[in-house]
């Protein structure tokens, strides 16, 4: 702690904010193979005015919206292929055939600051989310630093291959929150099972993986 306190403010910020991207996966009806994603994404390149988010291969995306997470104000965005974005002058190595969400920030990223967006989208991917016997399975590689999985209502945890904080939402759904401590995309496998027992939050708890004060 003493060593951290001795660092310049900018050095401290670059250290504690490096893990700020956060994603929630809300699992929908198992028969649909669909899950709704809420993604908080950062842009720290000074002067940048856009943020890119690639649609994963094998996932069919729909219901896209982008907003400022601080104010809730909708942000302009485009959904284009890498080839189209390259033609439009977007910098970086883009896969020509893949699709990207390009979100436009309210202002250029300042020196020592960041741009932040909230992206919502729905994916359909039968290889990542499916029913197996009496259980549902969400199996997907996740590269974001902090994540949450929300089970459909009426389901509780069967198993998890990652250590997770378990909470209950006000509507009775079960939520797992966890951090990816690796520097690479990790395979996450969550299983849920049906339960008729009511689920309700018993305590007021802080969701550690949603803590943006790090």
């Amino acid at each position: 702690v003493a060593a951290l306190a001795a660092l310049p403010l900018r050095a401290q910020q670059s250290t504690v904010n490096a893990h700020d991207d956060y994603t929630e996966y809300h699992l929908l009806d198992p028969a649909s193979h669909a899950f709704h994603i809420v993604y908080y994404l950062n842009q720290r390149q000074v002067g940048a005015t856009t943020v890119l988010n690639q649609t994963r291969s094998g996932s069919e995306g729909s219901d896209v919206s982008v907003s400022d997470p601080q104010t809730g104000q909708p942000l302009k965005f485009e959904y284009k292929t890498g080839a189209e974005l390259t033609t439009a002058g977007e910098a970086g190595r883009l896969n020509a055939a893949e699709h990207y969400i390009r979100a436009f920030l309210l202002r250029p990223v300042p020196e020592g600051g960041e741009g932040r967006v909230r992206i919502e989208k729905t994916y359909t991917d039968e290889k990542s989310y499916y029913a197996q016997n009496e259980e549902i399975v969400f199996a997907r590689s996740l590269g974001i630093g902090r994540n949450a999985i929300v089970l459909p209502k009426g389901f509780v945890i069967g198993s998890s291959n990652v250590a997770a904080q378990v909470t209950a939402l006000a509507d009775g759904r079960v939520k797992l929150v966890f951090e990816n401590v690796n520097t690479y995309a990790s395979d996450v496998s969550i299983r849920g099972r049906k339960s008729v027992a009511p689920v309700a939050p018993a305590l007021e708890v802080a969701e550690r993986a949603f803590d943006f004060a790090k």
Side-chain angles (χ1 to χ4, degrees):
V1 172
L4 180 61
L7 291 173
L9 178 60
R10 181 173 300 175
Q12 291 186 37
Q13 288 177 334
S14 64
T15 299
V16 299
N17 290 338
H19 214 216
D20 264 0
D21 291 347
Y22 170 83
T23 311
E24 284 185 2
Y25 298 83
H26 294 252
L27 306 186
L28 305 180
D29 181 354
S32 70
H33 303 291
F35 43 94
H36 186 69
I37 301 173
V38 182
Y39 185 18
Y40 292 84
L41 182 61
N42 296 283
Q43 170 62 276
R44 295 191 176 90
Q45 182 179 343
V46 176
T49 57
T50 61
V51 183
L52 295 182
N53 176 223
Q54 182 179 348
T55 298
R56 185 179 299 199
S57 297
S59 297
E60 180 183 340
S62 62
D63 301 328
V64 179
S65 65
V66 181
S67 61
D68 182 321
Q70 194 167 26
T71 65
Q73 177 180 342
L75 297 178
K76 176 185 175 183
F77 72 92
E78 299 171 337
Y79 190 55
K80 295 181 177 293
T81 65
E84 291 172 326
L85 291 174
T86 299
T87 301
E90 189 69 40
R93 298 176 60 184
L94 303 176
N95 187 314
E98 299 290 351
H99 284 78
Y100 297 80
I101 298 168
R102 176 164 71 162
F104 292 84
L105 300 172
L106 291 175
R107 61 192 64 83
V109 176
E111 179 75 29
E114 66 181 16
R116 194 166 180 80
V117 298
R118 172 187 168 117
I119 296 175
E120 294 200 41
K121 53 190 176 181
T122 299
Y123 276 0
T124 300
D125 188 340
E126 61 183 16
K127 293 183 178 180
S128 294
Y129 178 42
Y130 53 90
Q132 187 176 74
N133 299 323
E134 298 299 316
E135 293 185 316
I136 58 171
V137 181
F138 181 77
R140 195 170 177 86
S141 63
L142 303 181
I144 299 304
R146 298 180 294 134
N147 303 273
I149 311 294
V150 181
L151 301 181
K153 193 167 185 178
F155 284 83
V156 296
I157 299 170
S159 65
S160 169
N161 75 328
V162 293
Q165 179 189 27
V166 181
T167 62
L169 300 182
D171 62 5
R173 290 180 296 163
V174 173
K175 182 177 184 179
L176 298 84
V177 292
F178 57 92
E179 298 196 44
N180 178 7
V181 299
N182 303 304
T183 57
Y184 52 86
S186 298
D187 291 332
V188 173
S189 179
I190 308 294
R191 289 178 174 266
R193 56 179 176 81
K194 285 187 177 182
S195 174
V196 296
V199 175
L203 299 170
E204 287 290 334
V205 297
E207 293 182 9
R208 296 299 298 271
F210 193 70
D211 179 11
F212 288 112
K214 294 184 179 184

